[in-house]
Amino acid sequence: MSSGAGEVLRVVLVGAGGMGRAWLRTILADPDVELAGVVDLDRDVAAAAVAEAGVPGVPLGRDAVDLARATGADAVVNVTVPRAHHPVTTAALFAGLPVLGEKPVAEDVAQALSLAAAAQVTGRLFVVSQSRRYNAHLFAFKEQARVLGQPGVLTTEFFKAPHFGGFREEMDHPLLLDMAIHPFDTARFLLDAEPVSVYCEEFNPPGSWYAGDAAASAVFEMTGGVRYAYTGSWCAPGLETSWNGSWRLSASGGSALWDGEGPPVLEAADGVVAAAGEDPGREIAGSLRAFARALRTGEVPMGEVHENVMSLVMVEAAVTSATTGARVRVDDVLERAHERALAQERREDVRAVLGSWTSVRDALAARVPAGSARPAA
């Protein structure tokens, strides 16, 4: 297995659609990763993807575990649609294969908890690619947040007007379910804080081409008392923000702004200057690089499943608040998801781990020991 320093990680890519092809190009461009095979339920789609990428001889298949075993692959990159995240990732983990998956971790929080428990049972690394964390300007913004002291308010404005067509324009909660997880996850990263409660309102602006509510405003209470406020719309033509949104942090020692594209701007009361911050790599290329490094070193990377679940919890809590018109406690969302996970779980070993969690929040905060990040021998 490719767990030693300097060895190439051989991966099977699962999913050869539009996002799968982006991952295919990224895998081929990474010198520390080798493409062992491509899986898709439609073999013709997989064949077209590898031909387009200039590697027509790559092995193809319809089952990730079978192809990984046939090719001697070390890990799986799961770029399937959200409803397939749970079964594909579970099968790979129990076959001894570490997994790098696309967001969201699963269709709902109950399935996400099942996957966190499966990672514990198998001792295999499962990382969710929150690719927008991998941005050097975001890391610089986080460093500014650190030097500004105690945060008070963090805000995001997100205004875009994409005409996607297809399923997004028919969804009940298109903005919250399909896009808001990115800024919610970024807020957790910037603040080093977790959600406590949320009040969210959702609506559909005049002229919207979406069937569901395409705009939302949410205020989260985060641990430590800081507030995170999000306002967004997916039908807002003109003066559009970055896809990363526009950000403002107000803290005890000053304020910082980030337009989502360029370097962030800091104004500190005492004239303190923030360091540049590290360069984590760019988007999915950064996710892939961090995953491969974790399997070489045993370190636990950003996006490890236990750490990532709370980003999806923020989405589910916001949708619940918008639907009920009430402030929602995050621990209530976790408890209900835990009950569903226990009721739905088919594997006795996974159910046993889920049942051992007296506090879901504490179980997620515990993370996975660094030693279990290495692939099976």
Side-chain angles (χ1 to χ4, degrees):
M1 301 297 292
S2 301
S3 57
E7 294 185 27
V8 173
L9 180 73
R10 304 186 71 247
V11 302
V12 164
L13 173 68
V14 191
M19 198 63 198
R21 294 182 186 211
W23 275 97
L24 178 56
R25 293 190 296 271
T26 301
I27 291 167
L28 293 173
D30 191 320
D32 295 322
V33 181
E34 179 183 330
L35 181 66
V38 175
V39 169
D40 198 282
L41 292 177
D42 188 332
R43 192 181 180 91
D44 290 340
V45 170
V50 297
E52 178 185 291
V55 286
V58 168
L60 308 178
R62 299 183 76 252
D63 182 274
V65 171
D66 288 346
L67 190 59
R69 285 173 174 162
T71 59
D74 305 322
V76 165
V77 178
N78 183 5
V79 196
T80 55
V81 295
R83 67 177 177 273
H85 287 185
H86 183 271
V88 170
T89 297
T90 300
L93 292 174
F94 277 95
L97 295 162
V99 178
L100 174 61
E102 261 291 345
K103 67 86 187 170
V105 53
E107 276 200 296
D108 59 31
V109 176
Q111 289 186 0
L113 297 180
S114 170
L115 289 173
Q120 286 185 223
V121 171
T122 61
R124 294 295 170 263
L125 180 67
F126 173 33
V127 176
V128 182
S129 173
Q130 291 287 166
S131 58
R132 293 181 185 272
R133 280 198 190 189
Y134 289 88
N135 183 310
H137 296 313
L138 175 60
F139 271 65
F141 192 37
K142 183 177 175 69
E143 176 63 18
Q144 291 180 351
R146 186 187 67 80
V147 302
L148 286 174
Q150 183 63 36
V153 178
L154 177 68
T155 66
T156 308
E157 292 185 338
F158 176 84
F159 292 96
K160 301 291 286 185
H163 287 263
F164 293 112
F167 73 92
R168 288 182 181 87
E169 294 186 7
E170 301 300 323
M171 292 172 66
D172 289 336
H173 312 277
L175 181 70
L176 289 177
L177 288 180
D178 199 61
M179 188 63 200
I181 194 169
H182 286 300
F184 292 176
D185 179 77
T186 297
R188 293 178 55 234
F189 173 67
L190 286 170
L191 296 170
D192 285 322
E194 299 294 2
V196 175
S197 65
V198 62
Y199 178 74
C200 180
E201 292 187 349
E202 211 181 17
F203 61 100
N204 214 14
S208 172
W209 49 94
Y210 294 84
D213 291 336
S217 294
V219 177
F220 288 89
E221 178 187 353
M222 307 292 285
T223 50
V226 62
R227 296 302 191 270
Y228 169 57
Y230 169 84
T231 300
S233 173
W234 246 356
C235 50
L239 301 177
E240 295 184 16
T241 64
S242 160
W243 277 101
N244 291 317
S246 178
W247 294 76
R248 181 184 183 98
L249 173 67
S250 174
S252 58
S255 296
L257 298 173
W258 183 43
D259 66 2
E261 291 295 331
V265 178
L266 169 72
E267 185 171 318
D270 59 3
V272 67
V273 177
E278 68 177 280
D279 183 355
R282 185 70 174 179
E283 297 182 347
I284 62 175
S287 293
L288 182 63
R289 186 174 76 182
F291 179 66
R293 183 173 63 244
L295 291 175
R296 290 194 302 270
T297 66
E299 69 186 51
V300 179
M302 288 195 304
E304 190 277 327
V305 59
H306 292 74
E307 186 269 332
N308 179 259
V309 169
M310 291 301 283
S311 295
L312 183 59
V313 171
M314 290 178 76
V315 173
E316 199 160 293
V319 170
T320 301
S321 177
T323 302
T324 63
R327 177 176 175 268
V328 171
R329 292 179 64 251
V330 167
D331 282 345
D332 291 342
V333 174
L334 286 170
E335 288 174 13
R336 289 193 294 269
H338 189 219
E339 291 172 359
R340 294 198 309 275
L342 283 167
Q344 296 168 4
E345 186 56 55
R346 297 180 179 180
R347 293 192 61 102
E348 291 294 336
D349 45 5
V350 174
R351 188 183 298 110
V353 169
L354 288 168
S356 72
W357 293 353
T358 56
S359 165
V360 181
R361 187 183 287 268
D362 289 348
L364 295 176
R367 309 290 193 258
V368 169
S372 67
R374 295 184 179 88

